[in-house]
Amino acid sequence: VREIDIPRKTVICKKTYKYDFCVIALGAKPNFFGVVGAKEFGRTFFTVEDALNIRNDLEELYTRKKGRIRIVVAGGGYTGVEVASHLYTLFTKLSSKLNHPFPSIVVIEGRDSILSGMPDWLRRIATDRLRRYGIRLVLESLIQRVDENRIYLDQGLAMSYDYLIWAGGVIANNLEGKIHGTQVGSSGRIQVNPDLSVRGFDHTFCV
C-alpha cells in the first residue's frame, strides 16, 4: 500500500482500488525522533530478521576487531533493557569461545530511569541487574546526532562506538503522511472514534 485517500475511498498500490469499507491496520515502525544519522548508522531491533542480522553482525565484529568492542543500545525501555541483557549472555559465550575481550555495553536513556512507567521496585531490580552485568547506564541524556563512529548527546558529550542498536520506541506507520483525510495525534497515531472509525468518516476504521 502506497497511499490511502479516505475522502475518495481509495487505496493506491500498484493498482488503485475503490472500497466501501476499509480497515487500516498498518502496524508500527521504529521511531528515530528526527535524530540525524540514527537510521543510517543504527541497527533497529524490530523484527526477527533484525535480530538475526544483529547476531550475525556481532559475530563478524568479534572476528574482525581484536580490541574491546563498544556496543551502544539507544533506548532504556522494554526492548532496550531486554536487548542489553541478552547481549551480556551472548558476549559471555562468544568471549569465552573466541578468547576475546568482553565488550563494553552502554544503554542511553532520555529519562531519569530505565523502564519508565514500570513500578519503582521493578526498575530498581532491573537497574541493579544491568549494573551487576557491567552494563553502563547513561540516563537523562538525549541523542542529538550520530555519525559513523560517534554519538553526540544533548549535554555536549560524545562517545565512540563500534555498533549501535536503536531501541528508541516506535511510531505508527502512516505511510509517510500519505493517508489523506486523517487527524494525527501523538506518535503518528490516527485519531479515531470509540468504535475505531476514523474521525469524520463512517466507512474507514483504524486499529
Side-chain angles (χ1 to χ4, degrees), residues 5 11 18 33 57 60 63 88 94 146 165 169 174:
D5 191 329
V11 176
K18 300 289 289 184
F33 297 97
D57 289 347
E60 179 187 351
T63 60
Y88 172 81
L94 287 178
V146 179
I165 299 174
N174 62 7

Side-chain angles (χ1 to χ4, degrees), residues 13-66:
C13 304
K14 289 183 178 179
K15 292 182 175 182
T16 297
Y17 299 91
K18 300 289 289 184
Y19 67 81
D20 294 311
F21 293 94
C22 177
V23 177
I24 300 172
L26 296 171
K29 59 184 180 180
N31 189 357
F32 295 99
F33 297 97
V35 175
V36 175
K39 186 174 183 179
E40 181 180 0
F41 298 110
R43 273 287 196 185
T44 57
F45 187 87
F46 191 65
T47 65
V48 173
E49 184 179 3
D50 288 342
L52 294 174
N53 286 335
I54 289 171
R55 172 70 182 250
N56 292 336
D57 289 347
L58 293 175
E59 289 187 349
E60 179 187 351
L61 193 54
Y62 254 80
T63 60
R64 184 160 42 88
K65 183 171 181 178
K66 301 304 179 184

Side-chain angles (χ1 to χ4, degrees), residues 73 79-91 105 107 126 129-130 133 135:
V73 178
T79 300
V81 168
E82 186 172 0
V83 166
S85 298
H86 282 293
L87 288 177
Y88 172 81
T89 303
L90 172 64
F91 293 153
I105 306 173
V107 176
R129 177 71 60 86
L130 293 181
Y133 285 167
I135 297 171

Side-chain angles (χ1 to χ4, degrees), residues 4-11 16-19 180 201 203:
I4 301 174
D5 191 329
I6 295 176
R8 296 185 178 183
K9 301 168 73 172
T10 301
V11 176
T16 297
Y17 299 91
K18 300 289 289 184
Y19 67 81
H180 306 294
F201 303 94
H203 50 68

Side-chain angles (χ1 to χ4, degrees), residues 142-196:
L142 297 175
I143 297 175
Q144 298 296 298
R145 63 185 177 93
V146 179
D147 64 26
E148 189 173 4
N149 305 112
R150 292 172 74 80
I151 295 169
Y152 300 87
L153 305 178
D154 59 343
Q155 300 171 355
L157 302 175
M159 64 175 65
S160 300
Y161 74 96
D162 296 302
Y163 199 83
L164 170 63
I165 299 174
W166 192 268
V170 296
I171 189 171
N173 182 5
N174 62 7
L175 301 182
E176 309 298 334
K178 293 184 179 179
I179 303 178
H180 306 294
T182 61
Q183 302 171 46
V184 178
S186 62
S187 299
R189 296 184 180 94
I190 292 174
Q191 299 296 293
V192 297
N193 298 310
D195 64 352
L196 300 182

